Structure formats: C-alpha cells, structure tokens
RNA sequence: GCCCUCGUGGUGAAAUUGGUAGACACAAAGGACUUAAAAUCCUUGCCCUUUUGGGAGUGCCAGUUCGAGUCUGGCCGAGGGCACCA
C-alpha cells in the first residue's frame, strides 16, 4: 500500500487553491456574508504555535461557513510597526522597513504552508504608506471632532525603551516590554478622548451577547464606573485656598469626617514648593515600593498642612488637611474626604496620625452603641450618630438621600466617575505612524494639510541616537509651507492605533482615497467572528470599540458601533519546561526520555528537572517550531493535533506523542480511503444501506453541532470515531451498497480540519470541485424508531430495553412489569 | 482585599444541556506477531465475585427531583483578572 505523501499532496492543493483564486472574495449582495477575522500577527520573523492554533481555529470556521454557502471574508495582515523592528535594525545595521518586510515574506510563506483559506489579495501591512496615510486622515478627522487633544501631564516613562507607556502598558510598575521600572516624567502628549465614550462603551457591553463574559467583566472593571457625589469643602488657613473639591461614593458617612487628604500633585501643592519638609515627604512617597501590590498594602503616610477643612453639614466642625501618598491625582479631584470608621484606608491613616474615628453606620445585627474599633466597617447597615440622616439604610438608601439633601443645600451634587482615562497615543519612537502635525515658531500646533498626506517616514535614519531618531533628523523635521517655517511633530502613534481600525481596511484594502469604502463596510461589517488571545481583552479590544465610535461620531450615515459581533478567545499552547543541574533552561530537542528519567541528549547521563507545563516562550526554551513540525508531519497533521485534546478556549499541552499519533491517524485514514475506493469500484447496485446511512447522518449532525459551538476537540474525536466505525464496517460487510455517497459526505465534514487530505480523497473519487456543500442531515432519521430505553427504579439501572420510540405509555409499563 | 472562572480515571478530556458517567486520545500493564527490537493489532483499567453478576463513584456536606457531573445553598481547593479608584 502506498503511503500518504503529505508533502507533494499539500503542495499540490495549496498551488491549486492559489491558481484558481479559491479563497478570493468579492462583494456579492446576493449572498449572505460571513466575516471571520483572527488577530493579525506582529511580524517577528517566524510563526509560533500560538499562531498555528489561532489561525487553524479561524480556518476551520471559515471553511465550514464557505461550505455552508456564505460569502466568506477571511483576510490576513501584519501589525508591522513597533519597537522590535527598530531594535533589531539597530543591532544588525539594517533598516526597520527591510527587517519587517523580510519577516513578513517569511511568515507569509509559513502561513501558506498551513493551508489557510485566506484571501491574500487583501493582505495589508500597517507600516506601508497605503495604510498609514489613511490613519493620518483619521487622526485629523478626530482632531476636527475634538476627540484628539494635546496636553502636558505626567506620563509613564520607560527609561530603557525611552518612550511613554499607556497606563495599560505598565504592569506592576514596570514597562510591559522592557520590564524596566517606570518613571514619572512631564511631557506634552497627544490624547484620544476615549473617556468621552465611557458610558457608551459600558452600555455597549450589554449587547455583546457573543463575547466571553470574562472579557466583558474585565472591560467593565477597567471602565470602572462609580456613582457618588461631588462635595466642595470650605478651607480655612493662612494660604489663599478657599475650597477643595472631593469625590465620594459615601456622602452618607459625612458625619464621620475626620480629615481631608489630597494628592501631592494637587494644585494646592504649589504653595509648598519651597517647603523642604514637604519635598522630602514627596520623595518618600515615590519610594514606598515598586510593585502595585506593595503600594496597596504599604504604609499610609501623610504630611499635615496648617489648613483646616469645614464639614459642610456641621460648620462648627473643622478637621485637618493632609497630603497623603494614597490619594491619586488622576482620579476624581485628587482629593478625598476621610471617614476612618467606614473605609479601611482612612482607618489605617487615622490610627497612624491619631485622628478621630467616629462610627456612623451600624451593622443590622448591632445596636446604636456599636463602635468601630479594630478595623473599618464598610458593610451594609443603618446610619447612626448623624443627626438628620439617622435611621437610613446604608448604603443604598442613605447615599441617595444624602445626595438629595446636599443638592438642596447646594453643598454638593450627584456625580458619576469613571476610572477610564484618556488614551495617550504619542510615542517617542521612529518606527510608527507619524503624527500629521506641525508647529510654528511659537510652538503652536497645526494639522498638516490633508492634501500633503501621507507624512512619510524617512527611510534613511540614524538609529544610534538616544531617544527618538526623528527628533534629530533635521532635513525631515523642518518644513516650509507658503514661505512659513514649521517643525514636524516627531512623535509617532502608539501601534495600538494601527490595530484599532485594520478590520475596516480589510473590507476595502485597495481603496486609494480613504481608509475604507462605505459600500464595502456596509456589506462586510461587523466582523462576525473575531478570534484571538485573551491578553488583548482590554487594550486592543477597548481601543477598537472606541475607534468605531469615534468614526461614527458626528457621522450620520455611518451606523456601526461594535466592530466585533462575537469574540472567541483561544487558550495558549503550553509545553513542559526543562532545566539542567546548573539551572539552565533546555529546549525539548536537548532532552531525551530514558525509562522514568529525563536526561540530557548530549551525554545521556545528566538528569534533567522537568518543570510544569507553561505557555511556550523563548526565554524558557520550551518552544516547538511549527516549520519543523510541518516539514516532518505535514500541515494537516499539525492542524489535527493542535485542535485535539483540549477545547480551543483552554490551554493545550503540546506533546510529541500526540503529534505523532495525529500523523499516524492521517496515514491510517489514507489506508482506509484506498480500501473504500476499491469497495466503491466493486459496488453493483444502488440500494440504501440503512445502518451506514444512520451512522453518517448522526455523525453529520454531531460534527455540524460541534463546529457551530467551537467544540473543535470533539470534532477530532468524532473523526476518530468515524474511522473506528468505518474500518470495522468494511471488514464485516463484504458487499456494501451506497458507500460512495456517504463517504463523500464524511470527507466534506472532515475537510475544515484536514483540507489537503480530503481534497485529495475527493479528487480520487472525481468529486472535488469548488461547488461542494456542507452535507445536511435528516432530523427524522436521528429520532430513530428503535431506541435504548433504560429502566430505572430509584435511580438504579434495572433493565435495558430496545423499544419503539412512539410506543404508548401503558404498553411500555406492561413490558417493564 | 475585591471580581470572574473552574473542580470528572495515571493524563488531556467527552456527556445531544436533568436521563446508561468516563466517548475520543495520550500514558501504563498484559498478550499476539517476530530470533529480537521497532512497527502493528488485541485485552485490561475502582471494590466484591472464578464467571454470570453486584456495589461504590464526577472536590466535600446538605437540598430539589422518579432520576443530579448537570439545578439550589453552604464549605474546601485551584486558576485568572483588578488592586490605595475615594
């Protein structure tokens, strides 16, 4: 028996699909569309197993939808701007453009070898002028709509990458890429007014039924809506400060007020500029620890001013004003009113500085004598010691009632606060989309006229400079328009801007005049299925949702708010980790299993420590190269294996044995195929073969259901089941009727997972063509007349009967008795 | 600390959503073929019983139901997210 030659067969079909434009998509309003999009990759040089998994999942869905008769848009592109290119180019004396383009070429080749059903005619790259010139237009449009603004403020400065980071890019006080401790620096930056849409972004989540709950919860928390009250406190003291505004969610505890605390960056800090003690305090604040957690549990420290704050509902009560390390400048007003009895932070602070702790809420099961002693009480209860607020139920009623009273007395007003802050998009980097802005001699910014777009990135650049190479490139930076001299903005846009609208570009990848064509977008958008890693749950997905709204804003003939109708977040690909006795990481190729031990391949002696299975990463060397695997086992085997074992949303464990068994399975399927072909040739008369017909029908139903529900691991099990059934069936039935028809249906069901193999088999039966349809199944055949009926008495199985399904109840009872 | 998700064999996991728990695969043990190995194929997988059978069993404890892996409440454990957000 000839072996299945995956190499020549996979090449044959990949060439066929390319030559015949099988996956080239055109707008066709007579057909229902399906837009399947996977998160596009960063062109780092080679694809990794994570890509293989992500794109295989998307490909199964795309191929299935195509067979179901949908007009499928399944594009691919490159998230091609970003720092690695700049660093690699500098280290290897290349241009970032060349490094990126050669990586793209290589990765495109690798993706093609996976046999993905991608319309490569729509390929886009965010670093090409064709792409970023439209992005610059969007930037200017957003500027016109006042959704972009410039402001000077403190930024997260990464001293290693020498750039600004968004809040989301700071993890545990360190840069997400470099790992360097982030510093505070004051800079002028461009901002997208994402916070304008806080409420809308929150409301939109409600309608995203086909998004994982986890992601919605993360976005909800990130937006961080809180309902409360703005209170204006009168201030007394020897400084020209008359009042300080605070935001609070618990105005009902105002009678427990015992101090007021402001951030060290609060505007009143200007009066303390020459105060040495204050400057020292400020220093101490920045030293309280590096990780967020350390700060959270760290000491509460304060600096007492001579100012006193007056309790607005008890004007004879005055409390001290402090600067405190735990008050954040960029939330609320950078000032809080302290009620130690009912807020743990305030409690800790009050204990430290011996401030008054006055109980104003009692739990339901305690009486009026209840007193907060060892920790703050922030639970529900009843208001006490609060004059006209006494007896209100806290917090729900009491908060609303208190706000009403404060509003009536003009002491405060209802306010809703969001944690979500505006998106700083300026990056002090070369390899990004230039911001289309110029400044006159006074430093006033002007938009670059749209007719002069794109602002091209200069090709020849010296990367061996500190900071942004663009800022020292004079011949690019300085321009003259109508005799007037300007300097260009040298910051480039955060690469997350590029990925915030690429899904629109795929609809009209070749449109010259604008980023997209309305007719295309009306037809293709929204993305019906978006697939990618959960690590983008907040950043990329929130920014994309913002961008769609920003384009919609003040645009009456455009009406799509949510770019991604459904979202699927796939799990990571994991592998065991290995360390030698010097604690060096070893790659899977460097080890060998001997009996119960794992040893070093090079000397076969040294015992290797096997660590837990973790997400594949270069630093831990637990990576398996897809190119190597595809070369050895073929694309179909890899696709099959990456889908088997674990549900797509969970992490999958890479195993060599599993991979080999998938490969063997393809070989076994091929042997089976050849036997079936012989049987088919010997087939004489057309006659319905009932048992096989029933099996096929059931299997089609199962696989259809499993594709729809993303149970791709179960599809693989279904494929094994089918093989086990057929191999046995062929052995025990010498004269098989009607086999060809059923077998073809089965091949089509397998085709989303192993497309090269099934195409070859169908071709072998002279049945491969572009008009193939997903087989339907007969629901009535599923409800077969004979069913297994389990007789249970008190939940225990007592008998197993094979009975007719439409039997009368009384007859059934008779049989049982 | 707050929020979310999940607990099924040695392992990854199935279970048409309340109806025969463990499909399918990996690993293991035993066997067949072979001079031998590899490959391939078959069998086994908790407890009692020689077999036929029977029993327990989906983290733990209760509850609802003729019937619970699935629903409800409480507890225990694991993973993830957020974290001085007033």
């Amino acid at each position: 028996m000839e072996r299945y030659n995956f190499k020549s067969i996979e090449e044959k079909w990949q060439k066929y699909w390319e030559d015949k434009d099988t996956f080239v998509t055109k707008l066709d309003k007579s057909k229902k569309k399906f837009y399947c999009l996977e998160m596009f990759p960063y062109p780092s040089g080679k694809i990794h197993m994570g890509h293989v998994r992500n794109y295989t999942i998307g490909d199964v869905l795309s191929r299935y939808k195509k067979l179901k008769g949908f007009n499928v848009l399944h594009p691919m592109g490159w998230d091609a701007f970003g720092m690695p290119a700049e660093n690699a180019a500098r280290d290897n004396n290349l241009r970032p453009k060349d490094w990126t383009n050669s990586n793209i070429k290589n990765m495109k080749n690798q993706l093609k070898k996976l046999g993905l059903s991608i319309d490569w005619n729509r390929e886009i790259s965010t670093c090409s002028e064709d792409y970023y010139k439209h992005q610059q237009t969007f930037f200017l449009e957003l500027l016109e709509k006042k959704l972009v603004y410039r402001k000077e403020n403190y930024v997260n400065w990464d001293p290693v990458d020498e750039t600004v980071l968004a809040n989301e890019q700071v993890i545990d006080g360190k840069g997400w890429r470099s790992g360097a401790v982030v510093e505070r620096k004051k800079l002028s930056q461009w901002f997208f007014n994402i916070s304008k849409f806080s409420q809308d972004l929150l409301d939109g989540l409600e309608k995203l039924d086909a998004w994982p709950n986890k992601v919605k919860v993360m976005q909800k928390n990130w937006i961080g809506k809180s309902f409360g009250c703005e209170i204006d406190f009168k201030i007394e003291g020897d400084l020209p400060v008359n009042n300080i505004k605070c935001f609070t969610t618990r105005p009902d505890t105002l009678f427990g007020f015992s101090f007021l605390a402001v951030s060290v960056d609060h505007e009143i800090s200007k009066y303390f500029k020459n105060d040495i003690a204050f400057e020292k305090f400020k220093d101490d604040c920045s030293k309280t620890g590096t990780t967020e957690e350390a700060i959270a549990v760290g000491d509460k420290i304060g600096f007492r001013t001579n100012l006193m704050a007056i309790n607005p509902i008890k004007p004879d009560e005055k409390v001290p004003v402090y600067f405190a390390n735990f008050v954040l400048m960029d939330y609320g007003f950078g000032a809080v009113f302290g009620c130690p009895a009912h807020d743990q932070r305030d409690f800790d602070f009050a204990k430290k500085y011996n401030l008054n702790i006055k109980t104003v809420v009692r739990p339901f099961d305690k009486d009026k004598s209840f007193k907060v002693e060892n920790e703050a009480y922030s639970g529900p209860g009843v208001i006490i010691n609060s004059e006209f607020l006494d007896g209100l139920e806290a917090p729900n009623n009491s908060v609303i009632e208190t706000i009403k009273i404060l509003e009536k007395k003009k002491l405060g007003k209802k306010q809703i606060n969001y944690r979500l802050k505006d998106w700083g998009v300026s990056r002090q980097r070369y390899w990004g989309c230039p911001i289309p802005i110029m400044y006159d001699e006074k430093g006033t910014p002007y938009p670059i006229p749209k007719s002069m777009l794109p602002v091209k990135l200069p090709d020849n650049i010296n990367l061996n400079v500190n900071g942004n190479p663009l800022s020292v490139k004079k011949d690019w930076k300085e321009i003259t328009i109508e005799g007037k001299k300007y300097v260009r903005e040298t910051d480039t846009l955060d690469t997350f801007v590029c990925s915030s609208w690429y899904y629109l570009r795929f609809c009209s990848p070749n449109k010259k005049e604008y980023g997209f064509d309305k007719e295309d977008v009306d037809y293709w958008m929204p993305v019906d299925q978006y697939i990618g890693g959960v690590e983008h749950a907040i950043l990329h997905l929130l920014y994309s949702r913002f961008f769609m709204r920003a384009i919609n804003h003040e645009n009456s003939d455009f009406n799509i708010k949510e770019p991604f109708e459904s979202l699927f977040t796939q799990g990571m690909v994991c592998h065991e980790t290995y360390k030698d006795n010097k604690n060096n990481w070893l790659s899977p190729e460097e080890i060998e299993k001997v009996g119960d031990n794992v040893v070093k391949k090079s000397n076969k002696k040294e015992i290797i420590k096997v660590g837990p299975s973790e997400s594949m990463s270069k630093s831990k060397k637990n990576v398996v190269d897809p190119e190597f695997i595809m070369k050895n086992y073929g694309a179909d085997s890899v696709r099959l294996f990456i889908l088997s074992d674990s549900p797509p949303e969970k992490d999958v464990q890479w195993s060599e044995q599993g991979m080999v068994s998938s490969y063997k399975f393809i070989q076994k399927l091929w042997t089976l195929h050849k036997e079936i072909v012989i049987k088919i040739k010997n087939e004489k008369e057309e006659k319905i073969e009932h048992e096989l017909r029933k099996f096929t029908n059931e299997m089609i139903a199962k696989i259809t259901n499993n594709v729809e529900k993303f149970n791709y691991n179960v599809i693989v099990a279904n494929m094994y089941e089918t093989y086990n059934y057929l191999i046995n069936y062929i052995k025990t039935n010498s004269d098989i009727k009607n086999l060809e028809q059923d077998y073809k249906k089965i091949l089509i069901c397998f085709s989303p997972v192993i497309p090269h193999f099934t195409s070859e088999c169908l071709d072998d039966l002279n049945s491969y063509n572009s008009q193939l349809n997903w087989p339907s199944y007969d629901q009535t055949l599923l409800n077969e007349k004979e069913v297994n009926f389990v007789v249970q008495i008190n939940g225990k199985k007592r008998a197993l009967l094979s009975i007719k399904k439409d039997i009368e109840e009384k007859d059934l009872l008779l049989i049982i008795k």
Side-chain angles (χ1 to χ4, degrees):
Chain A
M1 182 78 64
E2 69 173 295
R3 281 178 77 75
Y4 177 71
N5 186 338
F6 67 82
K7 193 169 183 291
S8 62
I9 290 170
E10 289 182 354
E11 271 172 17
K12 168 186 159 185
W13 289 102
Q14 282 163 21
K15 188 170 183 305
Y16 178 93
W17 295 326
E18 189 159 352
D19 291 348
K20 301 271 175 179
D21 283 341
T22 308
F23 303 113
V24 173
T25 310
K26 290 196 180 76
L27 190 152
D28 178 355
K29 283 181 180 164
S30 69
K31 281 170 105 179
K32 251 187 119 176
K33 64 95 183 183
F34 190 87
Y35 187 175
C36 178
L37 183 67
E38 299 102 342
M39 290 178 183
F40 66 165
Y42 177 79
S44 55
K46 289 169 117 186
I47 61 166
H48 53 70
M49 278 302 169
H51 293 129
V52 172
R53 195 172 193 209
N54 193 172
Y55 302 140
T56 303
I57 291 168
D59 200 48
V60 169
L61 186 65
S62 297
R63 285 178 178 270
Y64 166 76
K65 288 289 179 183
K66 189 175 162 69
L67 287 163
K68 280 287 237 182
F70 286 88
N71 191 21
V72 175
L73 176 57
H74 187 208
M76 185 58 72
W78 309 96
D79 189 11
F81 272 137
M83 252 163 18
E86 216 167 316
N87 296 337
R90 188 189 52 215
D91 297 345
N92 302 305
N93 207 18
L94 294 163
R95 295 191 305 176
K97 192 185 204 170
D98 297 335
W99 182 84
T100 305
N101 286 335
S102 102
N103 285 348
I104 286 175
K105 201 176 154 203
N106 188 41
M107 286 173 76
K108 185 176 173 182
N109 243 324
Q110 292 183 314
L111 288 181
K112 282 192 167 178
K113 282 185 185 152
L114 253 181
L116 303 174
S117 61
I118 282 166
D119 178 0
W120 285 106
N121 287 1
R122 290 176 187 260
E123 180 181 1
I124 58 173
S125 172
T126 58
C127 71
S128 78
E129 282 163 35
D130 289 341
Y131 187 86
Y132 70 67
K133 82 172 175 198
H134 303 300
Q135 188 162 309
Q136 292 173 346
T137 307
F138 288 136
F139 183 93
L140 296 180
E141 284 179 2
L142 262 54
L143 190 68
E144 287 159 20
K145 293 179 189 179
K146 298 195 166 44
L147 294 175
V148 177
Y149 64 92
R150 197 170 128 90
K151 97 177 165 193
E152 188 176 73
N153 81 331
Y154 285 102
V155 295
N156 305 306
W157 180 256
D158 187 319
V160 169
D161 287 342
E162 293 186 316
T163 193
V164 167
L165 301 173
N167 288 323
E168 297 89 317
Q169 291 165 337
V170 180
I171 297 151
D172 288 342
K174 291 172 186 157
W176 70 314
R177 264 224 163 89
S178 69
V181 174
V182 169
E183 295 168 1
R184 280 157 50 86
K185 199 170 172 177
K186 210 167 194 179
L187 276 181
S188 262
Q189 301 279 300
W190 289 97
F191 283 85
F192 281 1
N193 191 3
I194 187 170
S195 65
K196 186 187 178 92
F197 298 95
S198 297
Q199 187 60 47
D200 198 32
L201 287 164
L202 198 60
D203 293 342
L205 290 174
E206 300 288 325
K207 287 166 211 143
L208 295 172
D209 297 326
W211 275 42
N213 199 41
K214 177 173 62 172
V215 174
K216 288 192 278 187
V217 169
M218 280 162 77
Q219 291 211 353
K220 194 178 166 194
N221 292 342
W222 192 262
I223 296 166
K225 180 180 183 175
S226 48
F227 173 84
C229 180
E230 165 192 328
I231 301 174
D232 203 2
F233 289 90
K234 285 214 165 64
I235 303 296
E236 283 181 1
D238 50 5
L239 291 172
V241 179
N242 297 322
N243 48 23
I244 293 175
K245 271 186 188 173
C246 292
F247 171 74
T248 177
T249 54
R250 292 301 300 272
D252 56 330
T253 60
L254 204 47
F255 281 96
F257 182 42
S258 76
F259 66 93
L260 193 147
V262 301
S263 157
V264 288
D265 297 318
H266 193 273
E267 60 165 342
I268 70 162
S269 69
K270 66 186 173 199
Y271 302 114
F272 294 83
K273 263 193 177 146
N274 301 318
D275 188 327
I276 298 161
F278 176 70
E279 289 300 324
K280 189 187 172 296
F281 171 73
K282 231 175 130 173
D283 259 14
D284 290 346
C285 285
S286 58
K287 279 182 204 150
T288 37
T290 48
T291 69
E292 303 261 3
E293 200 191 344
I295 297 164
V297 293
D299 255 2
K300 313 276 176 279
I301 54 171
F303 178 86
R304 185 162 177 167
T305 68
N306 293 325
L307 302 171
M308 297 298 278
I310 296 164
N311 190 339
I313 51 174
K314 215 177 172 188
D316 55 330
E317 190 179 89
K318 292 170 190 172
V319 301
V321 175
Y322 281 82
F323 285 101
N325 64 338
F326 63 88
V327 183
L328 304 171
M329 191 55 225
D330 50 7
Y331 185 79
F333 300 99
V336 299
F337 101 80
C339 173
H342 305 290
D343 180 293
Q344 192 56 43
R345 252 176 347 207
D346 297 349
F347 183 89
D348 296 344
F349 192 79
K351 277 279 179 199
K352 180 152 185 166
Y353 295 102
N354 276 321
L355 299 164
N356 197 13
I357 299 174
K358 191 176 159 195
T359 305
V360 291
V361 180
R362 67 167 171 88
F364 291 117
D365 58 352
K366 297 272 165 48
D367 65 20
K368 277 183 188 168
S369 62
F370 172 73
K371 252 193 147 72
V372 164
E373 268 158 32
N374 298 318
E375 56 173 7
Y377 178 73
S378 53
V382 179
I383 302 284
I384 52 172
N385 306 324
S386 298
E387 300 178 12
F388 50 88
L389 297 178
D390 278 356
L392 287 171
E393 200 175 294
N396 295 344
N397 276 336
S398 57
V399 169
I400 292 168
E401 287 304 315
T402 310
I403 292 173
K404 276 185 194 160
I405 292 166
L406 290 173
E407 282 184 332
K408 205 180 268 174
K409 296 186 174 177
K410 299 215 167 12
L411 298 171
K413 59 183 179 199
K414 184 176 102 181
Q415 208 202 330
I416 287 163
N417 238 326
Y418 300 90
R419 223 178 63 117
L420 183 65
K421 286 161 205 114
D422 282 341
W423 174 16
V425 293
S426 299
R427 294 293 180 272
Q428 293 65 43
R429 277 282 150 185
Y430 160 70
W431 192 235
C433 171
I435 296 174
I437 292 288
M438 57 190 183
Y439 301 90
D440 65 14
E441 282 152 344
K442 288 177 193 156
T444 310
Y446 297 92
I448 300 265
K450 279 184 187 165
S451 60
M452 292 175 73
L453 297 184
V455 176
K456 292 185 188 174
L457 264 185
D459 272 345
N460 293 311
I461 193 99
N462 179 14
L463 294 169
N464 287 306
V465 294
N466 277 334
N468 186 353
L470 286 175
S471 62
V472 294
K473 186 151 177 70
K474 277 195 157 188
D475 58 340
W476 177 81
K477 190 175 161 184
E478 293 171 355
I479 51 167
T480 306
I481 294 176
E482 290 168 3
K484 232 184 135 186
K485 281 185 177 172
Y486 297 92
V487 287
R488 292 187 190 280
E489 169 68 67
T490 56
D491 286 352
T492 52
L493 288 171
D494 180 4
T495 55
F496 276 109
V497 178
C498 304
S499 54
S500 293
W501 69 281
Y502 78 113
Y503 49 89
L504 291 172
R505 188 63 185 165
F506 279 133
C507 300
S508 324
N510 301 313
K511 174 116 176 164
K512 291 263 184 300
E513 312 80 56
Y514 197 63
F516 57 86
D517 184 271
K518 194 175 172 296
E519 196 189 0
D520 291 329
V521 166
D522 279 345
Y523 177 70
W524 290 113
M525 285 296 289
V527 172
D528 294 278
Q529 185 65 60
Y530 197 34
I531 306 169
V534 73
E535 66 272 20
H536 293 109
I538 298 170
L539 303 173
H540 163 60
L541 291 168
L542 196 63
Y543 293 158
S544 296
R545 297 182 61 223
F546 157 74
F547 218 88
M548 213 58 239
R549 283 163 170 78
I551 286 174
N552 265 318
H553 193 60
E554 296 172 1
N555 189 351
S556 57
D557 62 9
F558 202 77
N559 209 17
I560 305 158
K561 265 193 180 176
E562 294 296 343
F564 312 122
E565 178 80 19
S566 4
L567 173 70
F568 189 88
T569 53
Q570 96 272 3
M572 292 181 295
V573 183
C574 298
H575 196 286
E576 280 178 335
T577 48
Y578 309 105
K579 269 186 176 178
D580 66 13
N581 53 23
K582 284 176 199 133
N583 261 351
N584 296 315
W585 298 104
L586 293 177
S587 73
E589 294 104 73
E590 293 172 289
I591 61 109
E592 204 176 293
K593 282 182 185 163
V594 177
D596 288 341
N597 290 324
V598 175
V599 296
K600 210 174 198 168
K601 218 175 209 170
S602 53
N603 58 23
K604 313 248 178 202
K605 274 184 196 154
E606 193 178 332
I607 302 280
I608 299 302
K609 277 177 279 179
V610 178
S613 184
E614 291 180 67
S615 143
M616 285 188 182
S617 79
K618 276 182 196 156
S619 61
K620 286 174 188 147
K621 284 192 160 186
N622 61 339
V623 289
V624 176
D625 179 16
E627 186 155 25
F628 174 79
I629 298 287
M630 281 196 279
K631 209 170 174 181
N632 279 313
Y633 303 107
D636 282 339
S637 302
V638 179
R639 293 167 63 112
L640 186 72
F641 175 67
I642 205 82
L643 295 176
S644 62
D645 283 1
S646 295
E649 70 273 16
K650 285 176 83 175
D651 288 354
V652 67
Q653 164 86 32
W654 182 271
S655 91
E656 187 71 17
Q657 291 98 326
M659 184 58 242
V660 170
S661 89
S662 293
Y663 170 75
K664 284 180 184 164
F665 180 61
I666 301 274
Q667 294 294 345
K668 278 155 69 176
L669 274 180
W670 183 248
T671 312
L672 173 70
H673 168 76
K674 287 297 176 194
E675 285 177 24
I676 286 177
V677 170
I678 293 166
K679 293 268 185 194
I680 288 170
K681 277 184 188 153
N682 296 335
E683 202 171 292
K684 285 178 189 110
E685 53 182 302
E686 276 291 316
K687 190 184 107 192
I688 302 287
E689 215 297 320
H690 195 68
E691 197 200 326
L692 179 63
R693 170 56 48 92
K694 195 179 150 195
F695 174 85
T696 308
N697 193 64
E698 258 169 37
M699 197 45 80
I700 294 167
K702 274 189 195 174
I703 294 180
T704 306
N705 185 41
N706 286 328
V707 182
E708 297 276 356
K709 289 185 177 161
F710 277 106
N711 298 332
Y712 293 176
N713 56 324
V714 189
I715 296 176
V716 176
N718 292 150
M719 290 167 71
Y720 276 97
E721 258 180 87
T722 307
Y723 170 82
N724 291 343
Y725 178 86
L726 285 178
I727 197 89
N728 187 46
Y729 189 80
I730 282 187
K731 269 183 203 155
T732 51
N733 295 273
S734 53
D735 187 23
I736 301 168
K737 311 296 179 200
N738 210 52
L739 177 60
E740 184 170 5
Q741 201 185 328
D742 282 356
Y743 178 57
K744 280 182 196 162
K745 285 183 184 172
I746 285 167
L747 284 174
I748 295 171
C749 284
F750 286 10
S751 71
V753 179
I754 47 171
H756 310 88
F757 177 87
T758 53
S759 300
E760 183 67 17
C761 293
L762 284 165
D763 196 36
D764 215 14
L765 298 164
N766 296 316
S767 301
Y768 183 87
N769 63 62
S770 57
Q771 307 302 317
L772 291 172
N773 286 314
W774 188 259
S776 55
Y777 57 93
D778 184 352
Q779 193 67 43
T780 56
L781 215 58
L782 283 183
N783 307 327
E784 250 306 279
K785 284 177 193 116
E786 294 275 309
V787 293
N788 285 336
F789 189 89
V790 181
V791 181
Q792 291 185 24
I793 296 165
N794 291 333
K796 301 276 181 283
K797 190 173 94 177
R798 291 295 174 220
L800 187 65
L801 309 171
S802 191
I803 55 139
K804 291 198 167 131
K805 204 173 185 184
D806 46 9
I807 192 167
E808 291 290 325
E809 195 177 328
K810 56 182 181 191
D811 296 333
L812 180 62
L813 285 171
L814 265 177
I815 300 170
I816 294 166
K817 279 171 187 164

